Amino acid sequence: MEHGQKESLPLTGKVALVTGAARRVGAVIARRLHAAGADVVIHYRRSAAEAQALAAELNAARPASVTPLGGELLDDKVLESLVEATIARHGHLDILVNNASTFYPTPVGTITPAQWDDLMGTNLRVPLFLSQAAAPHLKERSGLILNIADIHGIRPLKRFTVYSPAKAGLIMLTQSLARELAPEVRVNAVAPGPVEFPESGLTEDMKQEIIEKTLLKRRGSPEDVARAVLFFAADAPYVTGQILAVDGGRSAHA
């Protein structure tokens, strides 16, 4: 009985910290990890109500298994406190999912230093320094860092002249951290294609153009990303330094 339960809940006893997890893809990742048995810390920036509602729902299924924690990740003190609060509440940390991101167009001629700092900050700087803060704890647990990159870190998206390089940096950071933190900590990334478009910044024509460049000619879903996350967390103990494109074949398109 216990063996069967372990197989069906492969992350029992594990603790995951997921940034930007109150809504959209982050919330689906949090749900998937929780359903696999993990305790989850749901980080949010502004979406307090959504984070608390999700935590309440998941805690109703398994009491004291989810903690919502708010904070501005561009504040270095918040990064340290997130890790410390996770350890204080759940005892240890096994999985860090760097999911939080900002995404908006920055056509050449309009780019501001503030946009550079924001996009590079959330998509590259924060994953580095949060990973650094978490690394000692992850080493104790033979843990995992999983970065949510983007296929446009490999193939640039027109008008997203800062975002695409930021995600390209995150891909290289993934491989660099894999070398730095081996053999105790695995570090991988998922690079989604069009699974959930931002609420602003893309016209319907732009969305359709992105979809047409996939081989499958359709959007994916947040669940596709969450399944890839679970694969790395539960079924890939010998995989590190890898970038898995979950993009409907966009990266193979000419």
Side-chain angles (χ1 to χ4, degrees):
M1 186 70 175
E2 289 182 3
H3 179 67
Q5 185 180 28
K6 187 176 180 181
E7 286 184 342
S8 61
L9 298 176
L11 300 183
T12 298
K14 306 288 188 182
V15 176
L17 167 58
V18 185
T19 64
R23 42 199 299 272
R24 296 168 60 84
V25 173
V28 177
I29 291 171
R31 286 180 184 278
R32 175 67 65 161
L33 295 176
H34 186 266
D39 284 6
V40 182
V41 173
I42 296 172
H43 160 266
Y44 64 92
R45 183 172 60 165
R46 297 194 186 101
S47 305
E50 291 95 331
Q52 289 162 4
L54 178 57
E57 175 192 333
L58 298 179
N59 279 327
R62 198 167 74 244
S65 60
V66 177
T67 302
L69 291 175
E72 171 54 73
L73 296 179
L74 292 174
D75 181 344
D76 292 341
K77 293 178 182 177
V78 168
L79 302 182
E80 295 283 348
S81 67
L82 263 180
V83 174
E84 290 170 1
T86 298
I87 302 300
R89 180 66 180 82
H90 295 279
H92 54 267
L93 177 61
D94 300 272
I95 302 162
L96 169 61
V97 182
N98 286 308
N99 168 73
S101 171
T102 50
F103 175 90
Y104 49 82
T106 51
V108 171
T110 71
I111 303 167
T112 66
Q115 289 172 332
W116 171 273
D117 290 343
D118 179 42
L119 288 163
M120 284 290 175
T122 56
N123 291 295
L124 183 55
R125 185 176 185 275
V126 166
L128 167 60
F129 285 100
L130 188 54
S131 296
Q132 180 171 266
H137 304 283
L138 293 170
K139 284 186 175 184
E140 292 176 2
R141 302 282 298 178
S142 298
L144 167 70
I145 296 171
L146 192 60
N147 296 321
I148 306 302
D150 192 306
I151 196 60
H152 294 300
I154 300 170
R155 291 181 174 270
L157 180 61
K158 189 175 181 180
R159 299 175 69 243
F160 288 76
T161 319
V162 180
Y163 174 82
S164 292
K167 287 298 192 184
L170 183 60
I171 288 169
M172 181 53 69
L173 177 65
T174 299
Q175 296 173 327
S176 297
L177 286 175
R179 292 197 68 175
E180 292 293 321
L181 300 180
E184 299 92 347
V185 180
R186 294 180 297 120
V187 187
N188 294 292
V190 176
V195 298
E196 189 166 61
F197 289 117
E199 293 164 352
S200 62
L202 292 177
T203 66
E204 289 304 315
D205 286 345
M206 291 170 70
K207 293 176 184 177
Q208 194 55 43
E209 182 182 355
I210 290 170
I211 291 169
E212 283 302 313
K213 288 181 178 177
T214 70
L215 298 183
L216 299 183
K217 305 301 181 187
R218 60 179 175 83
R219 284 175 58 171
S221 73
E223 280 291 347
D224 292 314
V225 179
R227 278 189 287 267
V229 169
L230 182 60
F231 162 72
F232 281 119
D235 295 314
Y238 197 55
V239 178
T240 193
Q242 300 305 305
I243 317 300
L244 176 59
V246 181
D247 67 349
R250 170 65 186 95
S251 51
H253 193 285

